[in-house]
Amino acid sequence: MAYGSPESPEDVEPYYTHIRGGRKPSPEAVQRLRERYEMVGGRTPLLRVTREVAAELERLLNVSPGDSPWKVYVGMKHWHPFISEAAEQIASDGIRELTAVALAPHYSKMSVGGYRKAIDHALAAAASPAKLAFVDSWHLKESFISLIAARITSALEQWPAEQRAGVKVLFSAHSLPARIREWNDPYEEQLLDSCRAISLQAAHENWMFAWQSAGNTGEPWLGPDILDVLESLHTDGVKDVLSVPVGFVCDHLEIEYDIDYEAASKAREFGMTFRRTAMLNADPAFVRVLASIIEEAG
Ligand code: FEC
C-alpha cells in the first residue's frame, strides 16, 4: 500500500478532496497544488515505482513459496488503484491469508493507522474472508537501516574526504498535526530511533532531524520545519548538507518538490552545497527487505 498520486490535472481536485476526508479544498488551494505537480513534470513516479516493487516482490517471494504461491496486490490510500479496488480483487481471487504493508516505515495513528482502517474497511465491504496480518512499522529493520546508511556513505563520497565530517546529515519526514503528541503517538520516537541507528551504522554522528511538507490546516504541525532548519544551519556556518528523507521510500511529490526544489533552492540561496540520498524506490535490495518483513509477519 502507498499514498496514491493524481495522474492528470483533472484528478488533482478529487484527489485533494479525498486526502481531506471528503472536504473540498478551495479553488486557490487546488490551483497551488496543480502548480506543484506541474513543477515536477505533471505527475510523479509513485504508482509506477510501487508497481515495480510489487512485481519484483512477487517474483522474489515465489522463489521458495512454501505451500501456496504468493500474489502481490497494489492498493493506494488516496487515489486509483484504491485499497478498496485491491480488496475486491483479493476477495474475487479467493485469498484466505493476507499480509498488508504500507510503504512507510514509521507508525502514526494518522498515517499507517489510516492504511489499517482502509484495508479493514475494504475487506469487510468486499466480504473477503482473508485473515489479515498487518505490519505496523519496520523502522528498525536491520536491512533497512543498513541500506539507508550505505546511501549516506556513498553520498558523502561526493564531498572531498577532508570535508566529509563537516557535512550535516539532515534527516526529514512528513510532519503531522502536533496533536498526535496528545495520544502518545510513536511516530516521532520511531523516526528518531531510525536516525540514531542509521547514523551509528554510517559512523556519521553529525546529524539533525527536521520536519517537512507540513499542511496548512489552521492548527499547529510538528516542527522545526526543514526550511527553518536550513536557515539556522546557515547562521551556524554550516556549508554542506546531505538531505536524507528517512520517512519516505520513493520518489514522489514530497521529494521532488519539497526537497529537490524548495529545500534545495533555499540551501542554494544560502550558498550551501545541498545533496540528497537516492530514494530506495524499486532497488532489488529494498524489495528483499520488504520480502523479509512480509515473511516474518505472515
Ligand atoms: O507523489 C504524489 O503525488 C503523492 C505524494 C505524497 C506522499 C505523502 C505522504 C504522506 N502524507 C502524510 C500526511 C499528510 C497529511 C496531510 C497531507 C496532505 C497532502 C497533500 C498532498 C500530499 N499530502 Fe501527504 N503525501 C503526499 C501528497 N499529507 C498533495 C495535500 C496538499 C498539502 O497539504 O500539501 C493533510 C491533510 C489535510 O489537509 O487534512 C496529514 C504522511 C505521509 C507519509 C506516509 C505515507 O507515505 O503514507 C504522514 C508520498
Side-chain angles (χ1 to χ4, degrees):
M1 299 178 294
Y3 199 81
S5 180
E7 279 168 53
S8 71
E10 295 73 51
D11 291 347
V12 171
E13 186 187 303
Y15 168 71
Y16 200 173
T17 304
H18 193 277
I19 289 176
R20 288 165 48 87
R23 288 173 300 120
K24 257 192 174 193
S26 69
E28 297 74 32
V30 173
Q31 187 49 30
R32 279 198 298 276
L33 185 53
R34 279 208 186 106
E35 283 163 13
R36 278 161 61 203
Y37 279 103
E38 272 163 31
M39 282 287 293
V40 301
R43 54 193 291 183
T44 82
L46 181 60
L47 178 58
R48 175 181 56 76
V49 171
T50 307
R51 286 195 159 127
E52 282 169 25
V53 168
E56 174 61 9
L57 192 53
E58 189 167 277
R59 191 194 66 76
L60 205 61
L61 287 168
N62 286 313
V63 169
S64 46
D67 297 340
S68 55
W70 287 87
K71 212 164 160 13
V72 178
Y73 299 85
V74 167
M76 297 281 166
K77 200 196 229 175
H78 295 299
W79 201 244
H80 300 281
F82 280 108
I83 289 169
S84 56
E85 295 168 58
E88 278 161 23
Q89 194 59 49
I90 288 164
S92 87
D93 289 351
I95 301 295
R96 304 245 146 219
E97 286 179 71
L98 181 68
T99 302
V101 61
L103 293 182
H106 308 90
Y107 183 89
S108 164
K109 194 175 108 183
M110 273 186 103
S111 61
V112 175
Y115 289 98
R116 172 83 212 217
K117 262 199 199 153
I119 185 74
D120 280 346
H121 183 265
L123 290 174
S128 160
K131 189 170 135 264
L132 177 68
F134 188 90
V135 180
D136 279 331
S137 62
W138 38 278
H139 63 292
L140 280 178
K141 176 85 183 163
E142 255 174 67
S143 44
F144 163 67
I145 298 295
S146 302
L147 267 185
I148 306 289
R151 273 165 161 70
I152 291 178
T153 305
S154 75
L156 286 172
E157 280 164 8
Q158 294 177 62
W159 274 275
E162 64 281 9
Q163 256 171 267
R164 280 175 210 157
V167 176
K168 184 67 79 182
V169 164
L170 187 51
F171 291 105
S172 62
H174 204 296
S175 181
L176 283 174
R179 68 187 142 90
I180 69 162
R181 286 188 176 143
E182 288 162 23
W183 61 69
N184 288 328
D185 197 85
Y187 190 55
E188 279 182 88
E189 207 41 50
Q190 289 194 356
L191 279 159
L192 290 175
D193 283 345
S194 288
C195 299
R196 286 184 206 108
I198 293 165
S199 53
L200 199 65
Q201 175 107 28
H204 191 89
E205 287 299 318
N206 185 10
W207 64 272
M208 273 189 78
F209 177 82
W211 297 100
Q212 64 164 94
S213 317
N216 189 5
T217 53
E219 63 177 331
W221 284 56
L222 297 172
D225 186 82
I226 190 164
L227 301 180
D228 298 329
V229 168
L230 284 171
E231 184 159 356
S232 53
L233 289 177
H234 168 61
T235 309
D236 293 346
V238 173
K239 297 254 176 298
D240 300 294
V241 173
L242 176 62
S243 156
V244 183
V246 67
F248 302 107
V249 297
C250 176
D251 285 310
H252 49 56
L253 190 71
E254 318 299 68
I255 300 299
E256 295 182 331
Y257 186 90
D258 297 359
I259 299 291
D260 294 351
Y261 170 68
E262 217 173 30
S265 313
K266 185 89 170 175
R268 244 176 268 125
E269 235 175 72
F270 294 138
M272 292 165 156
T273 300
F274 182 90
R275 296 191 169 103
R276 169 173 72 72
T277 46
M279 302 309 285
L280 299 173
N281 288 327
D283 181 336
F286 173 53
V287 181
R288 284 198 290 279
V289 174
L290 288 175
S292 161
I293 290 166
I294 287 164
E295 280 165 341
E296 280 168 19

Coordinates of all heavy atoms in Angstrom, one line a residue, residues 3-6 15-16 19-20 23 33 36-37 44 46 77 103-104 110-111 115 174-177 187 215 217 221 247-248 252-254, ligand 1:
Y3 N 0.7 5.9 -0.9 CA -0.2 7.1 -0.6 C -1.2 7.3 -1.7 O -2.3 7.7 -1.5 CB 0.7 8.3 -0.5 CG 0.1 9.4 0.2 CD1 0.0 9.5 1.6 CD2 -0.4 10.5 -0.5 CE1 -0.6 10.6 2.2 CE2 -0.9 11.6 0.1 CZ -1.0 11.6 1.5 OH -1.6 12.7 2.1
G4 N -0.7 7.2 -3.0 CA -1.6 7.5 -4.1 C -1.2 8.8 -4.7 O -0.7 9.7 -4.0
S5 N -1.4 9.0 -6.0 CA -0.9 10.2 -6.7 C -1.9 10.5 -7.9 O -2.2 9.5 -8.6 CB 0.5 10.0 -7.2 OG 1.0 11.1 -7.8
P6 N -2.2 11.7 -8.1 CA -3.1 12.0 -9.3 C -2.4 11.8 -10.6 O -1.2 12.1 -10.6 CB -3.5 13.5 -9.1 CG -2.4 14.0 -8.3 CD -1.9 12.9 -7.4
Y15 N -8.6 14.2 -5.9 CA -7.5 13.6 -5.1 C -7.4 14.3 -3.7 O -7.3 13.8 -2.6 CB -6.2 13.6 -5.9 CG -5.0 13.3 -5.1 CD1 -4.7 12.0 -4.7 CD2 -4.0 14.3 -4.9 CE1 -3.5 11.7 -4.1 CE2 -2.8 14.0 -4.3 CZ -2.5 12.7 -3.9 OH -1.3 12.4 -3.2
Y16 N -7.3 15.6 -3.9 CA -7.1 16.5 -2.7 C -8.3 16.4 -1.8 O -8.2 16.3 -0.5 CB -6.9 17.9 -3.2 CG -6.2 18.9 -2.2 CD1 -5.9 20.2 -2.7 CD2 -5.9 18.6 -0.9 CE1 -5.3 21.1 -1.8 CE2 -5.3 19.5 -0.1 CZ -5.0 20.7 -0.5 OH -4.4 21.6 0.3
I19 N -7.9 13.3 0.2 CA -6.9 13.4 1.3 C -7.6 14.2 2.5 O -7.3 13.8 3.6 CB -5.7 14.3 0.8 CG1 -4.9 13.4 -0.2 CG2 -4.8 14.7 1.9 CD1 -3.7 14.2 -0.8
R20 N -8.4 15.1 2.2 CA -9.1 15.9 3.2 C -10.3 15.3 3.8 O -11.2 15.9 4.4 CB -9.4 17.3 2.7 CG -8.2 18.2 2.5 CD -8.5 19.4 1.6 NE -9.6 20.1 2.0 CZ -9.7 21.1 2.9 NH1 -8.6 21.4 3.5 NH2 -10.8 21.7 3.2
R23 N -13.7 16.7 2.4 CA -14.0 18.2 2.3 C -13.3 18.8 1.1 O -12.0 18.6 1.0 CB -13.4 18.9 3.6 CG -14.2 18.5 4.9 CD -13.6 19.1 6.1 NE -12.2 18.5 6.3 CZ -11.1 19.1 6.3 NH1 -11.1 20.4 6.3 NH2 -9.9 18.5 6.5
L33 N -1.8 23.4 -5.7 CA -1.3 22.0 -5.8 C -1.1 21.6 -7.2 O -0.1 21.0 -7.5 CB -2.4 21.1 -5.1 CG -2.0 19.6 -5.0 CD1 -0.6 19.4 -4.3 CD2 -3.0 18.8 -4.3
R36 N 2.3 22.7 -8.2 CA 3.4 21.9 -7.7 C 3.6 20.7 -8.6 O 4.7 20.3 -8.8 CB 3.1 21.5 -6.2 CG 3.5 22.6 -5.3 CD 2.8 22.5 -3.9 NE 3.2 21.3 -3.2 CZ 2.4 20.7 -2.2 NH1 1.3 21.3 -1.9 NH2 2.8 19.6 -1.6
Y37 N 2.4 20.1 -9.0 CA 2.6 18.9 -9.9 C 3.2 19.3 -11.2 O 4.0 18.6 -11.7 CB 1.2 18.2 -10.1 CG 0.9 17.3 -8.9 CD1 0.0 17.6 -7.9 CD2 1.6 16.0 -8.8 CE1 -0.2 16.8 -6.9 CE2 1.3 15.2 -7.7 CZ 0.4 15.6 -6.8 OH 0.2 14.7 -5.7
T44 N 3.9 12.3 -10.8 CA 5.0 11.7 -10.0 C 5.2 10.2 -10.3 O 4.2 9.6 -10.7 CB 5.0 12.0 -8.5 OG1 4.1 11.0 -7.9 CG2 4.4 13.4 -8.2
L46 N 5.2 7.8 -8.3 CA 4.8 6.9 -7.1 C 4.1 5.6 -7.5 O 4.5 4.5 -7.1 CB 3.9 7.7 -6.2 CG 3.4 7.0 -4.9 CD1 4.6 6.5 -4.1 CD2 2.5 7.9 -4.1
K77 N -3.9 4.7 -0.9 CA -4.8 5.2 0.1 C -5.7 6.3 -0.5 O -6.8 6.4 -0.1 CB -3.9 5.9 1.2 CG -4.6 6.1 2.5 CD -3.7 7.0 3.4 CE -3.4 6.5 4.7 NZ -2.5 7.4 5.5
L103 N 4.1 1.3 2.4 CA 5.4 1.7 2.0 C 5.8 3.0 2.8 O 6.0 4.1 2.2 CB 5.6 2.0 0.5 CG 5.5 0.7 -0.3 CD1 5.6 0.9 -1.8 CD2 6.5 -0.4 0.2
A104 N 5.7 2.9 4.1 CA 6.0 4.0 5.0 C 6.6 3.3 6.3 O 5.8 2.5 6.9 CB 4.8 4.8 5.4
M110 N -2.2 8.5 12.5 CA -2.8 9.3 11.4 C -2.3 8.8 10.0 O -2.8 9.2 9.0 CB -2.3 10.8 11.6 CG -3.3 11.6 12.4 SD -2.8 13.3 12.4 CE -4.0 13.9 11.3
S111 N -1.1 8.1 10.0 CA -0.6 7.7 8.7 C -0.9 6.2 8.4 O -1.8 5.8 7.8 CB 0.9 8.1 8.6 OG 1.6 7.4 9.5
Y115 N -4.0 3.5 6.8 CA -3.9 2.4 5.9 C -4.7 1.2 6.5 O -5.4 0.4 5.9 CB -2.5 2.0 5.6 CG -1.7 2.9 4.7 CD1 -0.8 3.9 5.3 CD2 -1.8 2.8 3.3 CE1 -0.1 4.7 4.5 CE2 -1.0 3.7 2.5 CZ -0.2 4.7 3.1 OH 0.5 5.5 2.3
H174 N 7.6 13.5 6.9 CA 6.4 14.2 6.8 C 5.9 14.7 8.1 O 5.8 13.9 9.0 CB 5.3 13.4 6.1 CG 4.3 14.2 5.4 ND1 3.5 15.1 6.1 CD2 4.0 14.3 4.1 CE1 2.7 15.6 5.2 NE2 2.9 15.2 4.0
S175 N 5.7 16.0 8.3 CA 5.1 16.5 9.5 C 3.7 16.0 9.7 O 3.0 15.6 8.7 CB 5.2 18.0 9.5 OG 4.7 18.5 10.7
L176 N 3.2 16.1 10.9 CA 1.8 15.8 11.2 C 1.3 16.8 12.2 O 2.1 17.5 12.8 CB 1.7 14.4 11.8 CG 1.8 13.2 10.8 CD1 1.8 11.9 11.6 CD2 0.7 13.2 9.8
P177 N 0.0 17.0 12.3 CA -0.5 17.9 13.3 C 0.0 17.6 14.7 O 0.1 16.4 15.1 CB -2.0 17.7 13.2 CG -2.3 17.3 11.8 CD -1.1 16.4 11.5
Y187 N 5.1 7.9 16.4 CA 5.8 8.4 15.2 C 7.1 9.1 15.4 O 8.1 8.7 14.8 CB 4.8 9.4 14.5 CG 5.1 9.8 13.1 CD1 5.3 8.9 12.1 CD2 5.1 11.2 12.8 CE1 5.5 9.3 10.8 CE2 5.3 11.6 11.5 CZ 5.5 10.7 10.5 OH 5.8 11.1 9.2
G215 N 1.2 20.6 6.5 CA 0.0 21.1 5.8 C -0.4 22.5 6.3 O 0.2 23.0 7.4
T217 N -3.4 23.8 7.7 CA -4.8 23.4 8.1 C -5.3 24.3 9.3 O -6.3 24.0 9.8 CB -4.8 21.9 8.5 OG1 -3.8 21.7 9.5 CG2 -4.6 21.0 7.4
W221 N 1.5 22.2 13.4 CA 2.1 21.0 13.0 C 3.4 20.8 13.7 O 4.0 21.8 14.2 CB 2.2 21.0 11.4 CG 0.9 20.8 10.7 CD1 -0.2 21.5 10.8 CD2 0.6 19.8 9.7 NE1 -1.2 21.0 10.0 CE2 -0.7 19.9 9.3 CE3 1.4 18.7 9.2 CZ2 -1.3 19.1 8.4 CZ3 0.8 17.9 8.2 CH2 -0.6 18.1 7.8
G247 N 11.7 9.3 6.2 CA 10.3 8.9 6.4 C 9.6 8.4 5.1 O 8.5 8.0 5.1
F248 N 10.3 8.5 4.0 CA 9.8 8.1 2.7 C 10.7 7.1 2.0 O 11.9 7.1 2.3 CB 9.7 9.3 1.7 CG 8.9 10.5 2.2 CD1 9.5 11.6 2.7 CD2 7.5 10.4 2.3 CE1 8.7 12.7 3.1 CE2 6.7 11.5 2.7 CZ 7.4 12.6 3.1
H252 N 8.6 11.0 -5.1 CA 7.2 11.5 -5.3 C 7.2 13.0 -5.0 O 8.2 13.6 -4.8 CB 6.2 10.7 -4.4 CG 6.6 10.6 -3.0 ND1 6.9 11.7 -2.2 CD2 6.8 9.5 -2.2 CE1 7.2 11.3 -1.0 NE2 7.2 10.0 -1.0
L253 N 6.0 13.5 -4.9 CA 5.9 15.0 -4.8 C 6.6 15.6 -3.7 O 7.3 16.6 -3.8 CB 4.4 15.4 -4.7 CG 4.1 16.9 -4.9 CD1 4.3 17.3 -6.3 CD2 2.7 17.2 -4.4
E254 N 6.6 14.9 -2.5 CA 7.2 15.5 -1.3 C 8.7 15.4 -1.4 O 9.4 16.1 -0.6 CB 6.7 14.8 0.0 CG 5.2 14.5 0.0 CD 4.3 15.7 0.0 OE1 4.3 16.3 -1.1 OE2 3.6 16.0 1.0
Ligands
FEC1 O1 3.6 11.9 -5.4 C1 2.4 12.1 -5.0 O2 1.6 12.6 -5.8 C2 2.0 11.9 -3.6 C3 3.0 12.4 -2.6 C4 2.6 12.3 -1.2 C5 3.1 11.4 -0.3 C6 2.5 11.8 1.0 C7 2.9 11.1 2.2 C8 2.4 11.4 3.4 N1 1.4 12.4 3.7 C9 1.2 12.4 5.1 C10 0.3 13.2 5.8 C11 -0.5 14.2 5.2 C12 -1.4 15.0 5.9 C13 -2.0 15.9 5.0 C14 -1.4 15.6 3.8 C15 -1.6 16.3 2.6 C16 -1.1 16.0 1.4 C17 -1.4 16.7 0.1 C18 -0.6 16.2 -0.9 C19 0.1 15.1 -0.3 N2 -0.2 15.0 1.1 FE1 0.6 13.7 2.4 N3 1.7 12.9 0.9 C20 1.7 13.2 -0.4 C21 1.0 14.3 -1.0 N4 -0.5 14.6 3.9 C22 -0.6 16.6 -2.4 C23 -2.4 17.9 0.0 C24 -1.7 19.2 -0.1 C25 -0.8 19.5 1.0 O3 -1.3 19.6 2.2 O4 0.4 19.6 0.7 C26 -3.0 17.0 5.3 C27 -4.4 16.6 5.1 C28 -5.4 17.7 5.3 O5 -5.2 18.8 4.7 O6 -6.3 17.5 6.1 C29 -1.7 14.9 7.4 C30 2.1 11.4 5.7 C31 2.8 10.8 4.7 C32 4.0 9.7 4.8 C33 3.4 8.4 5.0 C34 2.8 7.8 3.6 O7 3.6 7.8 2.6 O8 1.7 7.3 3.7 C35 2.3 11.1 7.2 C36 4.0 10.3 -0.5

